[in-house]
Amino acid sequence: MVTVTVDAILDRTLEGYDLSPEEGLVLLKQTDPTVIAAIRATSDKLRQQQVGDIVTYVINRNINFTNICEQHCSFCAFRRDATEEGSYWLDWTQILEKTTDAVRRGATEICMQGGLNPQAKINGKSLPYYLKLVETIKEQFPKIHLHAFSPQEVQFMAREDGLELSDVILALHKSGVDSMPGTAAEVLDDEVRHILCPEKTDTATWLEIVTKAHKLGLHTTSTMLSGHIETPEQQIRHLEKLRSLQQTAINREYPAFISEFILLPFVGQEAPKSLRRRVGRDQPVLADALLLTAVARIFLGNWIANHQPSWVKLGLSGATEALKWGCNDLGGTLMEEHITSMAGAIGGTNMEVETLQWAIASINRPYQQRDTLYQFVS
C-alpha cells in the first residue's frame, strides 16, 4: 500500500504539482531501499527538467571576520568569548588582504559573516562598523559580489542601534551588500530553536527579515541545518516555510527572491558536549542527508530551482553523490572556511576549481562556472 502511495506521489511531482507537507513527510519516512531509489530517480529527473544537466560552481572566498560572539548556540564550535584562547577579530588590512588574494585567484564573490561581537562598533554604533566592513571591500573592488550578513546579524545591528530592520537592510544594500546568506535558519521551528539556539532570532523574525530583504531588492539564499534533534515533521515544516517565502516573493513580484537551497548536515565532532551526547555521533549520516536532499528537490524545485550540497560537511565524494539526488550545483571554492571546520568537518576548507570540475566530470555531467545569482561566467 505504501509503495502505491509513494508511486502516486512521485507521479504527481513529475506532472508538475507541488507536494503537500503530508506527501513530503511520506517520502521522508521511507526506509525501503527500493522506494528510496525511486525517490532518488524522481529527484534526479526533476532536476533535469527544472535546470538541465549542467552542474555549476562559483569561485568565492569565505571571510569569517570574527569568532567573538555573544550567543551560545548548542551546535557551535566556532564562537569564542573575547578573552578566550582562540578568539580572533580581523582588522581592515587583513580583510583587504584576503579580498585582494581572492580576486587574484579569480573570485567573483566574497561571502562574509561573523560572530555577534558587541565590541564591533564605531562611535558606539554597530551598523557603521558593518558598513565600514562593506566599504573596505567595495572601495577597492567595486565589481566583486558581496554576499554578506545573515538575518541574525541584521537583527543584531538593529537591536544594538535601536533601528528598524528595514533601515538596516537598506543601509547595507546601499553601501554595497549584493545578497544575503540565508544562514541562521537552522530549523525554522521554535521548539528546535529553543534547544539548539535559544538566544537566536525566532522563526517569525527570520522569515520577516528575509521577506524584507526581497522587498528591498536583496536576493537571499536558503539553508537547513539537518540531522541533529529535529524530526521529519519539523524538516518538512521548514521546507514548507521556505517554499511559502519564495511563493510570496514571486507571486507579489518582489524585486528579489531566494536563489538557492543548501542542505547543511550537522557536524558534531567538536560541538558542545550536551548536544553531542544527545545526537550521538560526530559526522553526518550520508544516507539521511541524501534522502532529505532528494525530498527537498521534489518539494521546493518548482519554486527554488538551484540546490547545492555542502562538500565541507559531506566531503567531496558525498557532495558529488548528492548531484545524483537532485542537486545541480557544487558550491564554491571557499578558499577558507572556519565555522564548519572548527566543528570537526572532514571536507576541508578550500577547493581548487580543477577539483570541483573533476568531481562533476566523474559523474559524466558538464560543468560551468557561475556567479552568485546563477548567471554563467565565461
Side-chain angles (χ1 to χ4, degrees), residues 91-177:
D91 61 28
W92 312 118
T93 307
Q94 291 169 301
I95 285 163
L96 208 46
E97 280 170 359
K98 287 177 183 290
T99 307
T100 304
D101 178 62
V103 171
R104 186 181 57 74
R105 290 159 70 180
T108 60
E109 170 194 302
I110 294 291
C111 177
M112 190 159 63
Q113 300 176 84
L116 307 179
N117 182 353
Q119 266 69 58
K121 290 187 166 70
I122 292 174
N123 298 328
K125 295 284 188 183
S126 180
L127 180 59
Y129 170 79
Y130 284 85
L131 297 179
K132 178 82 188 278
L133 273 177
V134 175
E135 283 152 16
T136 298
I137 290 172
K138 282 298 182 114
E139 276 172 8
Q140 290 271 61
F141 302 102
K143 288 196 164 66
I144 196 97
H145 183 107
L146 190 53
H147 181 60
F149 312 133
S150 68
Q152 184 64 59
E153 288 168 282
V154 168
Q155 190 197 32
F156 174 71
M157 292 173 228
R159 188 204 75 198
E160 288 290 293
D161 293 357
L163 296 169
E164 295 293 327
L165 294 167
S166 293
D167 293 338
V168 171
I169 296 165
L170 207 50
L172 291 170
H173 193 21
K174 279 184 173 170
S175 73
V177 172

Coordinates of all heavy atoms in Angstrom, one line a residue, residues 91-177:
D91 N 41.3 42.8 11.3 CA 41.3 44.2 11.1 C 41.1 44.5 9.6 O 41.0 43.6 8.8 CB 42.5 44.9 11.7 CG 43.8 44.4 11.0 OD1 43.8 44.0 9.8 OD2 44.9 44.4 11.7
W92 N 40.9 45.8 9.3 CA 40.6 46.2 7.9 C 41.7 45.7 6.9 O 41.4 45.3 5.8 CB 40.5 47.7 7.8 CG 39.6 48.3 8.9 CD1 39.9 49.2 9.8 CD2 38.2 48.0 9.1 NE1 38.9 49.5 10.6 CE2 37.8 48.8 10.2 CE3 37.3 47.2 8.5 CZ2 36.5 48.8 10.8 CZ3 36.0 47.2 9.0 CH2 35.6 47.9 10.1
T93 N 42.9 45.8 7.4 CA 44.1 45.4 6.5 C 44.0 43.9 6.1 O 44.1 43.5 5.0 CB 45.4 45.7 7.2 OG1 45.4 47.1 7.6 CG2 46.6 45.4 6.3
Q94 N 43.7 43.1 7.2 CA 43.6 41.6 6.9 C 42.4 41.3 6.0 O 42.5 40.5 5.1 CB 43.4 40.9 8.3 CG 44.6 40.9 9.1 CD 44.3 40.5 10.6 OE1 43.4 41.0 11.3 NE2 45.0 39.4 11.0
I95 N 41.3 42.0 6.1 CA 40.1 41.8 5.3 C 40.5 42.2 3.8 O 40.1 41.4 2.9 CB 38.9 42.6 5.8 CG1 38.3 41.8 7.0 CG2 37.8 42.7 4.8 CD1 37.4 42.6 7.9
L96 N 41.1 43.3 3.7 CA 41.6 43.7 2.3 C 42.6 42.8 1.7 O 42.5 42.4 0.5 CB 42.2 45.1 2.4 CG 42.0 46.0 1.2 CD1 40.6 46.0 0.6 CD2 42.4 47.4 1.5
E97 N 43.5 42.2 2.5 CA 44.5 41.3 2.0 C 43.8 40.0 1.5 O 44.1 39.5 0.5 CB 45.5 40.9 3.1 CG 46.6 41.9 3.3 CD 47.4 41.6 4.6 OE1 47.1 40.7 5.3 OE2 48.3 42.4 4.8
K98 N 42.8 39.5 2.3 CA 42.1 38.3 1.9 C 41.3 38.5 0.6 O 41.2 37.7 -0.2 CB 41.1 37.9 3.1 CG 41.9 37.3 4.2 CD 40.9 36.9 5.4 CE 41.6 36.3 6.6 NZ 42.2 35.0 6.3
T99 N 40.7 39.7 0.5 CA 39.9 40.0 -0.7 C 40.8 40.2 -1.9 O 40.5 39.6 -3.0 CB 39.1 41.3 -0.5 OG1 38.3 41.3 0.7 CG2 38.1 41.6 -1.6
T100 N 41.9 40.8 -1.7 CA 42.9 41.0 -2.8 C 43.3 39.7 -3.3 O 43.4 39.4 -4.5 CB 44.1 41.9 -2.4 OG1 43.6 43.1 -1.8 CG2 45.0 42.1 -3.5
D101 N 43.7 38.8 -2.4 CA 44.1 37.4 -2.8 C 43.0 36.7 -3.5 O 43.2 36.0 -4.5 CB 44.5 36.7 -1.5 CG 44.9 35.2 -1.8 OD1 45.9 35.1 -2.5 OD2 44.3 34.3 -1.3
A102 N 41.8 36.8 -3.0 CA 40.6 36.1 -3.7 C 40.4 36.6 -5.1 O 40.2 35.8 -6.0 CB 39.3 36.4 -2.9
V103 N 40.5 37.9 -5.3 CA 40.3 38.5 -6.7 C 41.4 38.0 -7.6 O 41.2 37.6 -8.7 CB 40.2 40.0 -6.6 CG1 40.3 40.6 -8.0 CG2 39.0 40.5 -5.9
R104 N 42.6 38.0 -7.0 CA 43.8 37.5 -7.8 C 43.6 36.0 -8.3 O 44.0 35.6 -9.3 CB 45.0 37.6 -7.0 CG 46.3 37.3 -7.7 CD 47.5 37.4 -6.7 NE 47.4 36.6 -5.5 CZ 47.6 35.2 -5.5 NH1 47.9 34.6 -6.6 NH2 47.5 34.6 -4.3
R105 N 42.9 35.3 -7.4 CA 42.6 33.9 -7.8 C 41.3 33.7 -8.5 O 40.8 32.5 -8.6 CB 42.6 33.0 -6.5 CG 44.0 32.9 -5.8 CD 44.0 32.6 -4.4 NE 43.5 31.3 -4.0 CZ 43.4 30.8 -2.8 NH1 43.8 31.5 -1.8 NH2 43.0 29.6 -2.6
G106 N 40.7 34.7 -9.0 CA 39.6 34.6 -9.9 C 38.2 34.7 -9.2 O 37.2 34.4 -9.9
A107 N 38.1 35.0 -8.0 CA 36.8 35.1 -7.2 C 35.9 36.1 -7.8 O 36.3 37.2 -8.1 CB 37.1 35.3 -5.8
T108 N 34.6 35.7 -7.9 CA 33.6 36.7 -8.3 C 32.8 37.1 -7.1 O 31.9 38.0 -7.2 CB 32.7 36.1 -9.4 OG1 32.0 34.9 -8.8 CG2 33.4 35.8 -10.7
E109 N 33.0 36.4 -6.0 CA 32.1 36.6 -4.8 C 33.0 36.5 -3.5 O 33.9 35.7 -3.4 CB 31.1 35.5 -4.7 CG 30.3 35.4 -3.4 CD 29.5 34.2 -3.2 OE1 28.7 33.9 -4.1 OE2 29.7 33.4 -2.2
I110 N 32.7 37.4 -2.6 CA 33.1 37.3 -1.2 C 31.9 37.1 -0.3 O 30.9 37.8 -0.4 CB 33.8 38.7 -0.7 CG1 35.1 39.0 -1.5 CG2 34.1 38.6 0.8 CD1 36.2 38.0 -1.2
C111 N 32.0 36.0 0.4 CA 30.9 35.6 1.4 C 31.4 36.0 2.8 O 32.5 35.5 3.2 CB 30.6 34.2 1.3 SG 29.4 33.7 2.5
M112 N 30.7 36.9 3.4 CA 31.3 37.4 4.7 C 30.2 37.4 5.8 O 29.1 37.9 5.7 CB 31.7 38.9 4.5 CG 32.5 39.4 5.7 SD 33.5 40.8 5.3 CE 32.3 42.0 4.8
Q113 N 30.6 36.6 6.9 CA 29.7 36.5 8.0 C 30.6 36.4 9.2 O 31.8 36.0 9.1 CB 28.8 35.3 8.0 CG 27.9 35.2 6.8 CD 27.1 34.0 6.7 OE1 26.1 33.8 7.3 NE2 27.6 33.0 5.9
G114 N 30.1 36.7 10.4 CA 30.9 36.6 11.6 C 30.1 36.4 12.9 O 28.9 36.4 12.8
G115 N 30.8 36.2 14.0 CA 30.1 36.2 15.3 C 29.5 37.5 15.6 O 29.8 38.6 15.0
L116 N 28.6 37.5 16.6 CA 27.9 38.7 17.0 C 28.7 39.4 18.1 O 28.6 39.0 19.3 CB 26.5 38.4 17.5 CG 25.6 37.6 16.6 CD1 24.3 37.4 17.2 CD2 25.5 38.4 15.2
N117 N 29.6 40.3 17.7 CA 30.6 40.8 18.7 C 30.1 42.2 19.2 O 30.1 43.2 18.4 CB 31.9 41.0 17.9 CG 33.1 41.5 18.8 OD1 32.8 41.9 19.9 ND2 34.3 41.5 18.2
P118 N 29.7 42.3 20.4 CA 29.2 43.6 20.9 C 30.2 44.7 20.9 O 29.8 45.9 20.9 CB 28.8 43.3 22.4 CG 28.7 41.8 22.4 CD 29.7 41.3 21.4
Q119 N 31.5 44.4 20.8 CA 32.6 45.4 20.7 C 32.7 46.0 19.3 O 33.5 46.9 19.1 CB 33.9 44.8 21.2 CG 34.2 45.1 22.7 CD 33.3 44.3 23.6 OE1 33.3 43.1 23.5 NE2 32.5 45.0 24.4
A120 N 32.1 45.3 18.3 CA 32.3 45.7 16.9 C 31.5 46.9 16.6 O 30.4 46.8 16.1 CB 32.0 44.5 16.0
K121 N 32.0 48.1 17.0 CA 31.3 49.3 16.9 C 32.2 50.4 16.4 O 33.4 50.4 16.7 CB 30.6 49.7 18.2 CG 29.4 48.8 18.6 CD 28.7 49.4 19.9 CE 27.4 48.8 20.1 NZ 27.5 47.4 20.6
I122 N 31.6 51.4 15.8 CA 32.3 52.7 15.5 C 31.5 53.8 16.2 O 30.3 53.9 15.9 CB 32.4 52.9 14.0 CG1 33.4 51.8 13.4 CG2 33.0 54.3 13.7 CD1 33.5 51.9 11.9
N123 N 32.2 54.6 17.0 CA 31.5 55.7 17.8 C 30.3 55.1 18.5 O 29.2 55.8 18.5 CB 31.1 56.8 16.8 CG 32.3 57.5 16.2 OD1 33.3 57.5 16.8 ND2 32.1 58.0 15.0
G124 N 30.4 53.9 19.1 CA 29.4 53.3 19.9 C 28.2 52.8 19.1 O 27.2 52.4 19.7
K125 N 28.3 52.7 17.8 CA 27.2 52.2 17.0 C 27.7 50.9 16.2 O 28.8 50.9 15.7 CB 26.7 53.2 16.0 CG 26.1 54.5 16.7 CD 24.7 54.1 17.2 CE 24.0 55.4 17.7 NZ 22.7 55.1 18.3
S126 N 26.8 50.0 16.1 CA 27.1 48.7 15.4 C 27.0 48.8 13.9 O 27.9 48.4 13.2 CB 26.0 47.7 15.9 OG 26.3 46.4 15.2
L127 N 25.9 49.4 13.3 CA 25.8 49.5 11.9 C 26.9 50.1 11.2 O 27.4 49.6 10.2 CB 24.4 50.2 11.5 CG 24.1 50.3 10.0 CD1 24.1 48.9 9.3 CD2 22.8 51.1 9.8
P128 N 27.5 51.3 11.7 CA 28.6 51.9 11.0 C 29.8 50.9 10.9 O 30.6 51.0 9.9 CB 29.0 53.1 11.9 CG 27.7 53.4 12.5 CD 27.0 52.1 12.8
Y129 N 30.0 50.0 11.9 CA 31.1 49.1 11.8 C 30.9 48.1 10.6 O 31.8 47.9 9.8 CB 31.2 48.2 13.1 CG 32.2 47.1 12.9 CD1 33.6 47.3 13.0 CD2 31.7 45.8 12.6 CE1 34.4 46.2 12.8 CE2 32.6 44.7 12.4 CZ 33.9 44.9 12.5 OH 34.8 43.9 12.3
Y130 N 29.7 47.6 10.4 CA 29.4 46.7 9.3 C 29.5 47.4 8.0 O 29.9 46.9 7.0 CB 28.0 46.1 9.5 CG 28.0 45.0 10.6 CD1 27.8 45.3 11.9 CD2 28.1 43.6 10.2 CE1 27.8 44.3 12.9 CE2 28.1 42.6 11.2 CZ 28.0 43.0 12.5 OH 28.0 42.0 13.4
L131 N 29.0 48.7 8.0 CA 29.1 49.5 6.7 C 30.6 49.7 6.3 O 31.0 49.6 5.2 CB 28.4 50.8 6.9 CG 26.9 50.8 7.1 CD1 26.3 52.1 7.3 CD2 26.2 50.0 6.0
K132 N 31.5 49.9 7.4 CA 32.9 50.0 7.1 C 33.5 48.7 6.5 O 34.4 48.7 5.7 CB 33.6 50.4 8.4 CG 35.1 50.6 8.3 CD 35.5 51.9 7.7 CE 37.0 52.0 7.4 NZ 37.9 52.3 8.6
L133 N 33.0 47.6 7.1 CA 33.4 46.3 6.5 C 33.1 46.2 5.0 O 34.0 45.8 4.2 CB 32.7 45.1 7.2 CG 33.2 44.5 8.5 CD1 32.2 43.5 9.0 CD2 34.5 43.9 8.3
V134 N 31.9 46.6 4.6 CA 31.5 46.6 3.2 C 32.3 47.6 2.4 O 32.9 47.2 1.4 CB 30.0 47.0 3.1 CG1 29.6 47.1 1.7 CG2 29.1 46.0 3.9
E135 N 32.5 48.8 2.9 CA 33.2 49.8 2.2 C 34.7 49.5 2.0 O 35.3 49.7 1.0 CB 33.1 51.2 2.9 CG 31.7 51.8 2.6 CD 31.2 52.7 3.7 OE1 32.0 53.1 4.6 OE2 30.0 53.0 3.7
T136 N 35.3 48.8 3.0 CA 36.7 48.4 2.9 C 36.9 47.5 1.7 O 37.9 47.6 1.0 CB 37.1 47.6 4.2 OG1 36.9 48.4 5.3 CG2 38.5 47.1 4.1
I137 N 35.9 46.6 1.4 CA 36.0 45.7 0.2 C 35.6 46.5 -1.0 O 36.3 46.4 -2.1 CB 35.1 44.5 0.5 CG1 35.8 43.6 1.5 CG2 34.9 43.7 -0.8 CD1 34.9 42.5 2.0
K138 N 34.4 47.2 -1.0 CA 33.9 47.7 -2.2 C 34.6 49.0 -2.8 O 34.6 49.2 -4.0 CB 32.4 48.1 -2.0 CG 31.4 46.9 -2.0 CD 31.5 46.2 -3.4 CE 30.5 45.0 -3.5 NZ 29.4 45.2 -4.4
E139 N 35.3 49.7 -1.9 CA 36.1 50.8 -2.4 C 37.2 50.3 -3.4 O 37.5 50.9 -4.4 CB 36.7 51.7 -1.3 CG 35.7 52.7 -0.7 CD 36.2 53.4 0.5 OE1 37.3 53.2 0.9 OE2 35.3 54.1 1.1
Q140 N 37.8 49.2 -3.0 CA 38.9 48.7 -3.8 C 38.4 47.8 -4.9 O 39.0 47.7 -6.0 CB 39.9 47.8 -2.9 CG 40.7 48.7 -1.9 CD 42.0 49.1 -2.5 OE1 42.0 49.8 -3.5 NE2 43.1 48.7 -1.9
F141 N 37.3 47.0 -4.6 CA 36.8 46.0 -5.6 C 35.3 46.2 -5.8 O 34.5 45.4 -5.3 CB 37.1 44.6 -5.1 CG 38.6 44.4 -4.8 CD1 39.1 44.4 -3.6 CD2 39.5 44.2 -5.9 CE1 40.5 44.2 -3.3 CE2 40.8 43.9 -5.7 CZ 41.3 44.0 -4.4
P142 N 35.0 47.3 -6.5 CA 33.5 47.6 -6.7 C 32.7 46.5 -7.4 O 31.5 46.4 -7.2 CB 33.5 48.9 -7.5 CG 34.9 49.0 -8.1 CD 35.8 48.3 -7.1
K143 N 33.4 45.7 -8.2 CA 32.7 44.7 -9.0 C 32.5 43.4 -8.3 O 31.7 42.5 -8.8 CB 33.5 44.5 -10.4 CG 33.3 45.7 -11.3 CD 33.8 45.3 -12.7 CE 33.3 46.3 -13.8 NZ 34.0 47.6 -13.6
I144 N 33.2 43.1 -7.2 CA 33.1 41.8 -6.6 C 31.7 41.8 -5.9 O 31.1 42.8 -5.4 CB 34.1 41.6 -5.5 CG1 34.2 40.2 -5.0 CG2 33.9 42.5 -4.2 CD1 35.3 39.4 -5.7
H145 N 31.0 40.6 -6.0 CA 29.7 40.4 -5.4 C 29.9 40.1 -4.0 O 30.6 39.2 -3.6 CB 29.0 39.2 -6.1 CG 27.6 39.0 -5.6 ND1 26.5 39.4 -6.4 CD2 27.1 38.6 -4.4 CE1 25.4 39.1 -5.7 NE2 25.7 38.6 -4.5
L146 N 29.3 41.0 -3.1 CA 29.4 40.8 -1.7 C 28.1 40.1 -1.1 O 27.0 40.7 -1.1 CB 29.6 42.1 -1.0 CG 30.0 42.1 0.5 CD1 31.2 41.2 0.7 CD2 30.3 43.5 1.0
H147 N 28.3 38.9 -0.7 CA 27.2 38.0 -0.2 C 27.4 38.0 1.3 O 28.3 37.3 1.8 CB 27.4 36.6 -0.8 CG 26.3 35.7 -0.4 ND1 25.0 35.9 -0.6 CD2 26.4 34.4 0.2 CE1 24.3 34.8 -0.2 NE2 25.2 33.9 0.3
A148 N 26.7 38.9 2.0 CA 27.1 39.1 3.4 C 26.0 39.3 4.4 O 24.9 39.9 4.1 CB 28.0 40.4 3.4
F149 N 26.2 38.9 5.6 CA 25.5 39.2 6.8 C 24.1 38.5 6.8 O 23.2 38.8 6.1 CB 25.3 40.7 7.0 CG 26.6 41.5 6.9 CD1 26.6 42.6 6.2 CD2 27.7 41.0 7.5 CE1 27.8 43.3 6.0 CE2 28.9 41.7 7.4 CZ 29.0 42.9 6.6
S150 N 24.0 37.5 7.7 CA 22.8 36.7 7.8 C 21.7 37.5 8.5 O 21.9 38.6 9.0 CB 23.1 35.5 8.8 OG 23.3 36.0 10.1
P151 N 20.4 37.0 8.4 CA 19.3 37.6 9.1 C 19.6 37.8 10.6 O 19.2 38.8 11.2 CB 18.2 36.6 8.9 CG 18.5 36.0 7.6 CD 20.0 35.8 7.6
Q152 N 20.4 36.9 11.2 CA 20.8 37.1 12.6 C 21.6 38.3 12.8 O 21.4 39.1 13.8 CB 21.5 35.8 13.0 CG 21.9 35.8 14.5 CD 20.7 35.8 15.4 OE1 19.9 34.9 15.3 NE2 20.5 36.8 16.2
E153 N 22.6 38.5 11.9 CA 23.4 39.7 12.0 C 22.6 41.0 11.8 O 22.9 42.0 12.5 CB 24.6 39.6 11.0 CG 25.6 38.6 11.4 CD 26.6 38.2 10.3 OE1 26.2 37.5 9.4 OE2 27.8 38.7 10.4
V154 N 21.7 41.0 10.9 CA 20.8 42.1 10.7 C 20.0 42.5 11.9 O 19.9 43.6 12.3 CB 19.8 41.9 9.5 CG1 18.7 42.9 9.4 CG2 20.6 41.8 8.2
Q155 N 19.5 41.4 12.6 CA 18.7 41.7 13.8 C 19.6 42.2 14.9 O 19.2 43.1 15.7 CB 18.0 40.4 14.3 CG 17.1 40.6 15.4 CD 16.7 39.4 16.2 OE1 17.5 38.5 16.4 NE2 15.5 39.4 16.7
F156 N 20.8 41.7 15.0 CA 21.8 42.2 16.0 C 22.1 43.7 15.8 O 22.1 44.4 16.7 CB 23.1 41.3 15.8 CG 24.3 41.8 16.6 CD1 24.3 41.6 18.0 CD2 25.4 42.3 16.0 CE1 25.3 42.0 18.8 CE2 26.5 42.7 16.8 CZ 26.5 42.5 18.2
M157 N 22.4 44.1 14.5 CA 22.6 45.5 14.3 C 21.4 46.4 14.7 O 21.6 47.4 15.3 CB 22.9 45.7 12.8 CG 24.2 45.1 12.3 SD 24.3 45.3 10.5 CE 24.8 43.7 10.0
A158 N 20.2 45.9 14.3 CA 19.0 46.7 14.6 C 18.8 46.8 16.1 O 18.5 47.9 16.6 CB 17.8 46.0 13.9
R159 N 19.0 45.7 16.8 CA 18.9 45.7 18.3 C 19.9 46.6 18.9 O 19.6 47.5 19.8 CB 19.0 44.3 18.8 CG 18.6 44.2 20.3 CD 19.3 43.0 20.9 NE 20.7 43.2 21.1 CZ 21.6 42.2 21.3 NH1 21.2 40.9 21.2 NH2 22.9 42.4 21.5
E160 N 21.2 46.5 18.5 CA 22.3 47.3 19.1 C 22.1 48.8 19.0 O 22.4 49.5 19.9 CB 23.6 46.8 18.5 CG 24.1 45.5 19.0 CD 24.5 45.4 20.4 OE1 25.5 46.1 20.8 OE2 23.8 44.7 21.2
D161 N 21.6 49.2 17.8 CA 21.5 50.6 17.5 C 20.0 51.1 17.6 O 19.8 52.3 17.3 CB 22.0 50.8 16.0 CG 23.5 50.6 15.9 OD1 24.1 50.3 16.9 OD2 24.0 50.7 14.8
G162 N 19.1 50.3 18.0 CA 17.7 50.8 18.1 C 17.1 51.2 16.7 O 16.3 52.1 16.7
L163 N 17.4 50.4 15.7 CA 16.9 50.7 14.4 C 15.9 49.7 13.9 O 15.7 48.6 14.4 CB 18.1 50.7 13.4 CG 19.2 51.7 13.6 CD1 20.4 51.3 12.7 CD2 18.8 53.1 13.2
E164 N 15.1 50.2 12.9 CA 14.2 49.2 12.2 C 14.9 48.3 11.3 O 16.0 48.6 10.7 CB 13.2 50.1 11.3 CG 12.3 51.0 12.1 CD 11.3 50.2 13.0 OE1 10.8 49.1 12.6 OE2 10.9 50.8 14.0
L165 N 14.4 47.1 11.2 CA 15.1 46.0 10.4 C 15.3 46.5 9.0 O 16.3 46.3 8.4 CB 14.3 44.7 10.4 CG 14.2 44.0 11.8 CD1 13.1 42.9 11.7 CD2 15.5 43.4 12.1
S166 N 14.2 47.1 8.4 CA 14.3 47.6 7.0 C 15.3 48.6 6.8 O 16.0 48.7 5.8 CB 12.9 48.2 6.6 OG 11.9 47.2 6.6
D167 N 15.5 49.5 7.8 CA 16.6 50.5 7.7 C 18.0 49.9 7.7 O 18.9 50.4 6.9 CB 16.5 51.5 8.9 CG 15.2 52.4 8.8 OD1 14.6 52.5 7.7 OD2 14.7 52.9 9.8
V168 N 18.2 48.9 8.4 CA 19.5 48.2 8.4 C 19.7 47.5 7.1 O 20.8 47.7 6.5 CB 19.6 47.1 9.6 CG1 20.8 46.3 9.4 CG2 19.5 47.8 10.9
I169 N 18.7 46.8 6.6 CA 18.8 46.1 5.3 C 19.1 47.1 4.2 O 20.0 46.9 3.3 CB 17.6 45.3 5.0 CG1 17.4 44.2 6.0 CG2 17.7 44.7 3.5 CD1 16.0 43.5 6.0
L170 N 18.4 48.2 4.2 CA 18.5 49.2 3.1 C 19.9 49.8 3.2 O 20.6 50.0 2.2 CB 17.5 50.3 3.3 CG 17.0 51.1 2.1 CD1 16.7 50.2 0.9 CD2 15.9 52.0 2.4
A171 N 20.4 50.2 4.4 CA 21.8 50.8 4.5 C 22.8 49.8 4.0 O 23.8 50.2 3.3 CB 22.0 51.1 6.0
L172 N 22.7 48.5 4.4 CA 23.7 47.5 3.9 C 23.7 47.4 2.4 O 24.7 47.4 1.8 CB 23.4 46.2 4.6 CG 23.7 46.1 6.1 CD1 23.1 44.8 6.6 CD2 25.1 46.2 6.4
H173 N 22.5 47.3 1.9 CA 22.3 47.2 0.4 C 22.9 48.4 -0.3 O 23.7 48.3 -1.3 CB 20.8 47.0 0.1 CG 20.6 46.5 -1.3 ND1 21.5 45.9 -2.1 CD2 19.5 46.6 -2.1 CE1 21.0 45.6 -3.3 NE2 19.7 46.0 -3.3
K174 N 22.6 49.6 0.2 CA 23.1 50.8 -0.5 C 24.6 50.9 -0.4 O 25.3 51.5 -1.3 CB 22.5 52.1 0.2 CG 21.1 52.4 -0.3 CD 20.5 53.6 0.3 CE 19.2 54.0 -0.4 NZ 18.5 55.1 0.4
S175 N 25.2 50.4 0.7 CA 26.6 50.5 0.9 C 27.4 49.5 0.0 O 28.6 49.6 -0.1 CB 27.0 50.4 2.3 OG 26.9 49.0 2.7
G176 N 26.7 48.5 -0.5 CA 27.4 47.5 -1.4 C 27.2 46.1 -1.1 O 27.8 45.2 -1.8
V177 N 26.3 45.7 -0.2 CA 25.9 44.3 0.0 C 25.0 43.9 -1.1 O 24.0 44.6 -1.4 CB 25.2 44.1 1.4 CG1 24.7 42.6 1.5 CG2 26.2 44.3 2.5

